[in-house]
Amino acid sequence: MNLRHEWKHEISPADLAVLRQRLRAAVRPDGHGRDGVYQIRSLYFDTPEDRVLREKLDGLDRREKFRIRCYDGNYSCIRLEKKSKINGLCGKESAPLTAGEVRGLLAGERAWMTGSGRNLVWELCSKMTAQRLGPKTIVDYTREAFVFAPGNVRVTLDYGIRTGLGCTDFLDPCCVTVPIRDAPIILEVKWDAFLPDVIREAVQLGNRRAAAFSKYAACRRYG
């Protein structure tokens, strides 16, 4: 797993307009979506005791979370992801899932997971058994993404965050999600060994300070 640096900032609608203009002039949009803009749906996992949520709120140096994710409602391309935080650095592992496998998982079927041949799927299965990890809530939002090859930089602007409350029916396009109250706009900057000056300058917004915002934690305030 490749560990990367990550900045997160809560920004205003005015900041969003400024950053969008700067980034479009300096770097190229991500190849996904339309001009780098797409919809994300994630289903997050947690324990009955909300261990994942509590570790995030407590700011533990080593923590992890599992989620299932798709883009623009395309259920032919679903990913199981594990996001890890280790001493301030971030890493992500992923494995493909089919819509049928997601239906089986949500129905409590695990036999297919042990024989899937995908290490991450097997790991999730083992933690669903040992830690009682299970689907907790859906999180929807819009993302604008930009990429810059030097430093393997990825800059994203996330907004329109919505919660599925207690809904876990990931494959239901009619699943009702509602906007979270006072939902911020989130600027994220991720890079490998170095952050090029052109990106550093493009994302400067005065005295903004990095924040540990979590879309999952924000949505869990509602259930």
Side-chain angles (χ1 to χ4, degrees):
M1 178 175 60
N2 180 37
L3 294 177
R4 287 159 56 81
H5 300 271
E6 180 181 83
W7 280 348
K8 284 187 181 182
H9 298 270
E10 296 184 26
I11 63 174
S12 69
D15 293 333
L16 173 63
V18 170
L19 286 172
R20 182 185 284 137
Q21 184 175 24
R22 288 182 188 170
L23 290 166
R24 288 179 177 173
V27 296
R28 66 179 179 85
D30 187 351
H32 297 92
R34 189 169 185 175
D35 294 327
V37 181
Y38 46 89
Q39 305 297 314
I40 293 179
R41 166 163 287 189
S42 298
L43 173 61
Y44 285 88
F45 290 71
D46 210 332
T47 67
E49 300 79 21
D50 292 329
R51 178 182 55 80
V52 175
L53 176 62
R54 288 188 290 103
E55 289 181 351
K56 171 61 181 178
L57 296 177
D58 292 342
L60 265 62
D61 287 336
R62 297 182 68 94
R63 59 184 186 269
E64 65 183 30
K65 60 187 175 187
F66 283 86
R67 67 193 178 202
I68 296 173
R69 174 167 287 189
C70 72
Y71 302 90
D72 287 330
N74 181 6
Y75 299 132
S76 67
C77 185
I78 303 172
R79 308 292 296 180
L80 169 64
E81 298 180 344
K82 183 177 81 166
K83 187 87 176 285
S84 300
K85 191 88 167 184
I86 303 173
N87 298 325
L89 297 177
C90 295
K92 186 171 72 174
E93 301 168 72
S94 67
L97 293 176
T98 68
E101 289 171 341
V102 173
R103 290 190 190 94
L105 189 156
L106 296 178
E109 300 168 4
R110 300 185 191 177
W112 69 269
M113 300 178 74
T114 58
S116 71
R118 283 157 280 171
N119 290 340
L120 193 60
V121 173
W122 181 88
E123 182 181 350
L124 174 61
C125 181
S126 67
K127 290 180 177 177
M128 290 177 73
T129 301
Q131 302 175 9
R132 296 188 297 162
L133 204 64
K136 187 63 75 167
T137 195
I138 287 172
V139 178
D140 288 342
Y141 58 95
T142 301
R143 166 165 286 178
E144 295 186 34
F146 302 84
V147 294
F148 192 67
N152 190 24
V153 179
R154 183 173 176 82
V155 182
T156 57
L157 303 166
D158 296 340
Y159 50 87
I161 304 170
R162 302 172 66 90
T163 174
L165 303 173
C167 177
T168 60
D169 194 351
F170 180 82
L171 298 173
D172 181 4
C174 298
C175 174
V176 175
T177 59
V178 298
I180 66 172
R181 186 175 181 182
D182 301 323
I185 302 166
I186 305 299
L187 162 67
E188 294 187 16
V189 186
K190 299 177 183 177
W191 70 97
D192 287 346
F194 69 98
L195 181 63
D197 288 342
V198 65
I199 302 297
R200 191 182 298 272
E201 293 170 4
V203 300
Q204 286 299 317
L205 289 169
N207 295 321
R208 299 294 190 279
R209 299 181 63 183
F213 183 85
S214 165
K215 301 178 190 73
Y216 170 62
C219 288
R220 283 298 312 281
R221 288 183 299 173
Y222 297 83

